[in-house]
Amino acid sequence: IWDMGGGVSRRLSLHSGLFHQLRVFFMPTLLGGGRAVVALGQQHYLSLKDGARHPGGIVELNYQIKD
């Protein structure tokens, strides 16, 4: 599932068991504010599967959701 919604839709999808993997991209920019990636809710444990570096300092991390 490619989720382009906000933190609340991601939280609902995660809580419903629709996600088995989480792919996170970190951009080398610090923001003073913004929207949460995932809204507050139940804690889920992740296991790092792999990662990659991309041009411009972008880092990709791929996690397996353990719950």
Side-chain angles (χ1 to χ4, degrees):
I1 296 173
W2 180 273
D3 184 0
M4 293 296 290
V8 173
S9 68
R10 285 189 200 98
R11 169 59 61 191
L12 292 172
S13 298
L14 182 61
H15 185 68
S16 298
L18 296 177
F19 293 160
H20 302 287
Q21 177 182 353
L22 182 63
R23 181 174 293 169
V24 180
F25 290 85
F26 291 95
M27 309 301 177
T29 304
L30 295 177
L31 304 175
R35 299 174 64 175
V37 172
V38 177
L40 295 177
Q42 177 184 352
Q43 180 172 321
H44 293 272
Y45 294 95
L46 307 174
S47 175
L48 182 63
K49 302 309 274 183
D50 59 26
R53 294 188 313 176
H54 298 284
I58 297 170
V59 177
E60 173 187 354
L61 299 175
N62 299 307
Y63 293 96
Q64 184 75 32
I65 298 173
K66 294 175 74 172
D67 306 327

